[in-house]
Amino acid sequence: MDYQHNFKKKFGQNFLNDENILNKIVKEAEIPEDTLVIEIGPGAGALTNKVKDVAKNVLAYEIDLDLQNILIDKFKDTNVEFIWEDFLNRNIKEDIKDYEYSHIFVVANIPYYITTPIVEKIINSGVDVEKVVIMVQKEVGDRFSAKPGNKEYGSISVFLNYYYDIKELFIVSKNCFTPRPNVDSVILSLTKRKDKPEVKDEKTLFRLIKDSFRFKRKNLRNNLKEYDLLKIEEVLKKYNKDLTARAETLDLNIFVDISNNI
């Protein structure tokens, strides 16, 4: 694809230009017919063009006003609408209130430098997003989908696992982009959990997770000094663990159990 565009580093712009990969993303997303798809950072609209053919409506957020003419011209008289603002500053609930749909998905090739804030925004928006299919930097994808015991496993892995079943779908080579980034990417699927664990107080849980990973090389006894360590040890015993364990060896259910007991 020939892009007559001044790519802006500050917006993390790398446009996906491989037709096979674009088709694969849409196929793997499994978008039902009556779906509103939110896209963040459509760029020149390559992915938007594929998604619009399977979704009921597409609402795309684009911060780069230089893309306005390209996108408006390309998608006039279609089921695609644009909001020309930073997604992170918007009230999504308000933006979608006039749409009718049975499902809501997020499908996007998002700017890598704000991956985590975007995912947190989706979680905290109060919008019932069923599935998020996003392209992220390979290293970030590994962190998001890491399991206990893996060196990539951290507080963000546990936090996301509370809300979603996370899968790495496939790798995308850096050669599939214009301009070419320095790293490969991965397509992640985050499907809303139907079996979210019962938690007495989410704030307590999230604080516990964050504090447990505060110093990655330290054990729970050192990272959780300000907590009631006797209560924590009691819970850990049920899982054949003690306070010498590191946070990276604990799965979500153990954190939930500790949180519900402190």
Side-chain angles (χ1 to χ4, degrees):
M1 292 179 196
D2 179 29
Y3 293 117
Q4 301 299 317
H5 179 64
N6 175 26
F7 291 90
K8 299 177 183 64
K9 207 170 180 180
K10 66 176 178 177
F11 294 148
Q13 288 179 334
N14 301 94
F15 294 173
L16 184 58
N17 58 27
D18 186 304
E19 283 288 315
N20 292 329
I21 297 292
L22 289 162
N23 289 329
K24 201 172 176 186
I25 292 170
V26 175
K27 187 183 174 203
E28 293 276 0
E30 298 179 319
I31 301 164
E33 207 174 290
D34 194 17
T35 301
L36 168 62
V37 171
I38 291 175
E39 187 181 8
I40 302 138
L47 182 59
T48 323
N49 199 40
K50 304 285 183 186
V51 172
K52 77 171 178 22
D53 293 338
V54 292
K56 183 178 182 183
N57 294 100
V58 180
L59 176 62
Y61 292 82
E62 180 52 65
I63 196 171
D64 187 357
L65 299 182
D66 287 352
L67 291 163
Q68 240 174 336
N69 290 341
I70 298 169
L71 292 172
I72 288 170
D73 186 53
K74 193 170 185 175
F75 295 103
K76 65 182 176 201
D77 304 323
T78 69
N79 58 345
V80 182
E81 286 187 42
F82 295 94
I83 290 178
W84 305 100
E85 274 186 52
D86 186 343
F87 174 75
L88 293 175
N89 295 336
R90 298 291 304 187
N91 180 333
I92 313 168
K93 231 175 180 175
E94 193 61 28
D95 291 340
I96 65 170
K97 70 179 192 309
D98 294 331
Y99 285 95
E100 286 182 15
Y101 53 86
S102 300
H103 312 274
I104 183 157
F105 281 29
V106 172
V107 181
N109 167 16
I110 58 181
Y112 293 161
Y113 72 104
I114 49 167
T115 299
T116 303
I118 284 174
V119 173
E120 287 176 346
K121 170 90 175 177
I122 293 164
I123 288 169
N124 297 323
S125 66
V127 174
D128 189 20
V129 176
E130 267 177 61
K131 193 193 271 189
V132 180
V133 178
I134 47 172
M135 186 184 305
V136 299
Q137 193 174 320
K138 173 74 173 70
E139 187 188 308
V140 174
D142 290 345
R143 274 209 306 276
F144 281 11
S145 59
K147 301 284 185 260
N150 185 306
K151 66 181 173 61
E152 302 295 342
Y153 186 70
S155 57
I156 190 72
S157 323
V158 188
F159 175 71
L160 289 179
N161 191 237
Y162 175 65
Y163 291 101
Y164 300 111
D165 290 315
I166 305 164
K167 276 189 206 158
E168 283 198 8
L169 297 177
F170 58 92
I171 307 293
V172 181
S173 162
K174 54 191 169 193
N175 300 319
C176 297
F177 296 87
T178 308
R180 191 178 118 158
N182 298 324
V183 292
D184 289 337
S185 303
V186 64
I187 305 294
L188 284 187
S189 160
L190 290 78
T191 308
K192 187 183 169 190
R193 286 185 67 154
K194 292 184 169 70
D195 61 342
K196 209 167 90 172
E198 280 184 37
V199 172
K200 285 182 184 173
D201 183 68
E202 286 187 349
K203 278 185 184 169
T204 302
L205 173 65
F206 299 152
R207 192 177 72 245
L208 171 73
I209 293 167
K210 197 176 171 190
D211 289 344
S212 297
F213 285 93
R214 194 184 310 170
F215 301 106
K216 204 144 190 221
R217 299 187 66 80
K218 291 193 173 181
N219 62 25
L220 294 169
R221 186 189 305 281
N222 287 318
N223 278 338
L224 301 176
K225 282 176 188 167
E226 295 133 38
Y227 290 73
D228 185 336
L229 292 177
L230 288 174
K231 276 188 182 173
I232 292 173
E233 189 147 48
E234 241 173 74
V235 176
L236 288 170
K237 274 180 193 165
K238 290 198 276 181
Y239 302 93
N240 296 319
K241 293 185 183 293
D242 58 33
L243 290 166
T244 63
R246 286 184 183 167
E248 67 203 45
T249 66
L250 272 57
D251 66 22
L252 171 68
N253 292 326
I254 301 177
F255 283 111
V256 168
D257 201 350
I258 295 170
S259 162
N260 286 344
N261 279 281
I262 57 176

